[in-house]
Amino acid sequence: MSQTRSTVGVTPVGDLVLAIETSCDETAAAVVDRARVVRSSVVSSQVDQHARFGGVVPEIAGRAHVERLVPVVAEALVEAGLSGHELDAVAATCGPGLIGSLLVGVSSAKALSLVWDVPFVAVNHLEAHLYAALLEEPDLELPMVVLLVSGGHTMLVLMEEHGRYRLLGSTLDDAAGEAFDKVARFLGLGYPGGPAVDALAVEGDSSAFAYPRPLVRENPATLPEDRRFAFSFSGLKTAVLNHLRADPDAATADVVASFQEAVVDTLVTKARWAVEATGVGSVCLGGGVAANSRLRERFLDMADGAGVRAFLPPPSMCTDNAAMVAAAAWWQLQREGPSPLDTGADPNLGLRLVP
Ligand code: KG4
Ligand code: ZN
């Protein structure tokens, strides 16, 4: 057990958190020390089981979590060189996500917290994605703007302090990752589509086709205030599909490169607007799409141009993992203490926002 301890009021809060993540199709467990040092992070992907269906099948996901969770937790403990009794808390993602999958992780974490007699912490998956950038980054300062881009969500959040999030804007329809997956599926590139598009786009010409940049203008002030930081990827996806129907011989690499550039342009432009509007000194990326190589490159250039510090989690911490859940759990323990053992899983859980 680590020696340093922190306190919430009079309640001692320990440092070593074991977290479990089972919200979708990755079975993951990790041990993180003081929300910063990753002692272990194990991710068992179910992609092979879902790929032939072209997307995640909830029933298969739930069953696979049941099969894989115990070995994954055991591996995380061995990798960290710890036994369960040396831990200070056990956390699990409690939503949003697939209900059957979430229940596997939440029930297991509660049972382990009882066995080891340590606090249980129920973590919001979106909040966990926000915390991925704080792992291994002791210098990160708040407030910061976070661009959270995953398969289910796309949002710009002002993280004012720990646990205090202001939503600047979110997608009105499809999430960025969803657009990647749908375009890839139409092109027969398999599931998940994001990594396949990323890899193929390197061989294409990103200026070959001028796809739309939704809700982007030269001057942000010309957009209605409630649309300024909003996203809409459904129309862009449809524009690509219509183009492919009209021009089936278009080179696939050029199509995906041009599509990716349109998504990245839109995301980076709005992130820059958010940095300018809020006056923050730091900006970071989170969520599975944050693993995209072109987005990472353009995001760093944007931050450089805006004179702010950019924090990009390594690609393995962008896609679903339990280390980010452990980090969010540790900060939550500092602020709020343990979660009640009757906390349930909530498939539609949203980020708790300040008005
Ligand atoms: O955060 P995540 O692992 O799961 C959710 O919480 O949704 O994000 C998964 C999404 C998928 O849509 C996947 O296609 C996308 O992230 N993704 C990528 C890349 N890697 C994963 N999108 C673009 N480029 C990538 N390299
Ligand atoms: Zn996620």
Side-chain angles (χ1 to χ4, degrees):
M1 195 181 310
S2 56
Q3 298 305 305
T4 343
R5 290 190 169 257
S6 315
T7 54
V8 172
V10 291
T11 315
V13 175
D15 295 332
L16 289 170
V17 179
L18 167 78
I20 293 172
E21 156 63 41
T22 60
S23 65
C24 191
D25 61 342
E26 324 278 2
T27 313
V31 178
V32 177
D33 192 350
R34 288 187 72 81
R36 292 244 159 83
V37 182
V38 181
R39 297 274 298 256
S40 64
S41 178
V42 180
V43 180
S44 168
S45 173
Q46 305 171 6
V47 156
D48 47 334
Q49 293 190 45
H50 300 285
R52 66 196 169 101
F53 300 104
V56 178
V57 182
E59 178 63 20
I60 294 176
R63 285 168 188 255
H65 288 306
V66 171
E67 272 169 30
R68 294 179 185 202
L69 189 59
V70 171
V72 164
V73 168
E75 196 180 331
L77 286 173
V78 169
E79 212 178 89
L82 294 164
S83 81
H85 293 282
E86 293 174 284
L87 297 169
D88 296 301
V90 180
T93 299
C94 64
L98 303 169
I99 185 67
S101 295
L102 289 167
L103 282 170
V104 178
V106 169
S107 318
S108 309
K110 285 180 188 173
L112 291 174
S113 85
L114 286 170
V115 169
W116 293 327
D117 193 23
V118 292
F120 162 70
V121 193
V123 174
N124 182 313
H125 183 77
L126 300 176
E127 194 168 356
H129 272 304
L130 298 182
Y131 272 86
L134 280 84
L135 286 162
E136 318 276 0
E137 284 289 358
D139 298 340
L140 204 138
E141 279 170 15
L142 302 181
M144 67 176 178
V145 163
V146 190
L147 173 63
L148 172 53
V149 271
S150 70
H153 296 84
T154 295
M155 51 176 81
L156 270 166
V157 175
L158 175 62
M159 191 167 170
E160 295 179 338
E161 52 191 67
H162 293 288
R164 210 177 148 77
Y165 315 111
R166 196 174 292 280
L167 182 68
L168 301 173
S170 59
T171 183
L172 305 175
D173 40 59
D174 289 356
E178 201 177 343
F180 270 99
D181 292 339
K182 286 178 177 169
V183 166
R185 187 173 181 169
F186 194 82
L187 287 164
L189 297 177
Y191 177 85
V197 168
D198 193 352
L200 186 58
V202 176
E203 295 164 28
D205 173 3
S206 62
S207 58
F209 307 111
Y211 295 131
R213 270 65 171 158
L215 298 173
V216 172
R217 307 279 183 276
E218 199 65 47
N219 176 2
T222 59
L223 278 165
E225 232 169 281
D226 63 344
R227 293 285 187 272
R228 208 159 293 164
F229 302 113
F231 302 94
S232 167
F233 291 112
S234 169
L236 167 58
K237 169 203 67 191
T238 307
V240 175
L241 302 193
N242 286 344
H243 168 227
L244 283 167
R245 287 187 189 109
D247 179 10
D249 295 330
T252 307
D254 289 346
V255 171
V256 295
S258 303
F259 159 73
Q260 177 177 271
E261 201 64 21
V263 175
V264 169
D265 233 3
T266 306
L267 293 172
V268 170
T269 302
K270 299 240 167 179
R272 177 168 51 81
W273 291 351
V275 166
E276 289 165 358
T278 55
V280 294
S282 306
V283 60
C284 81
L285 266 180
V289 181
N292 183 270
S293 55
R294 184 66 179 147
L295 175 59
R296 296 172 75 85
E297 187 181 313
R298 294 274 315 271
F299 197 80
L300 285 174
D301 287 349
M302 177 277 290
D304 214 30
V308 297
R309 299 184 66 189
F311 293 88
L312 279 66
S316 61
M317 293 295 159
C318 293
T319 45
D320 288 348
N321 67 87
M324 65 182 193
V325 178
W330 187 83
W331 285 103
Q332 190 172 314
L333 262 176
Q334 307 292 309
R335 294 192 312 270
E336 301 165 25
S339 307
L341 277 177
D342 62 358
T343 309
D346 180 354
N348 302 314
L349 189 67
L351 200 58
R352 212 172 353 137
L353 299 166
V354 291

